[in-house]
Amino acid sequence: MTQEKLWQDNYNAYMNYMKRYRQRPSKYDPKLAKMVNWMKYNKKLLAAGRMSAERAVQFRYLLEVAEKYRMVNQHSYVHTTEEQWLML
């Protein structure tokens, strides 16, 4: 298997996971660790400028899609000033 095919397979697996489950793979699920590590590694390559132009375009699209499925904190925190805290 070539590096290009392996990269494309990982890309497709990540994209298919997000489309199917409408969320990004969780770093807390050991079965999804490979996908999470692939994403982290490729983010580092992109930031360092060591990714080919074709892959960079494709990967940036994946990042856009992943941003839509970003997990949201379920707790709502109230942003208060110090004076408001003192009044509580």
Side-chain angles (χ1 to χ4, degrees):
M1 183 176 285
T2 65
Q3 281 296 102
E4 187 60 36
K5 172 129 176 56
L6 184 61
W7 191 90
Q8 193 63 46
D9 287 349
N10 286 322
Y11 174 89
N12 291 336
Y14 202 96
M15 186 66 81
N16 291 336
Y17 182 89
M18 288 191 301
K19 286 181 181 177
R20 182 174 182 190
Y21 297 106
R22 298 179 188 261
Q23 67 182 16
R24 295 192 290 187
S26 171
K27 67 182 180 181
Y28 300 108
D29 186 345
K31 293 178 268 180
L32 304 175
K34 181 181 174 186
M35 280 193 275
V36 172
N37 289 334
W38 178 84
M39 174 63 97
K40 287 189 327 187
Y41 177 74
N42 280 282
K43 277 184 181 179
K44 288 179 184 180
L45 286 180
L46 184 66
R50 295 188 298 144
M51 186 179 281
S52 70
E54 298 84 26
R55 281 188 186 178
V57 169
Q58 201 173 4
F59 191 70
R60 282 188 183 103
Y61 176 70
L62 181 71
L63 290 173
E64 285 178 33
V65 174
E67 189 62 31
K68 293 177 190 173
Y69 295 118
R70 182 175 208 130
M71 295 210 179
V72 178
N73 190 348
Q74 296 175 353
H75 304 286
S76 75
Y77 296 102
V78 178
H79 299 287
T80 57
T81 63
E82 187 176 343
E83 293 84 26
Q84 290 170 326
W85 275 108
L86 293 174
M87 295 171 72
L88 294 176

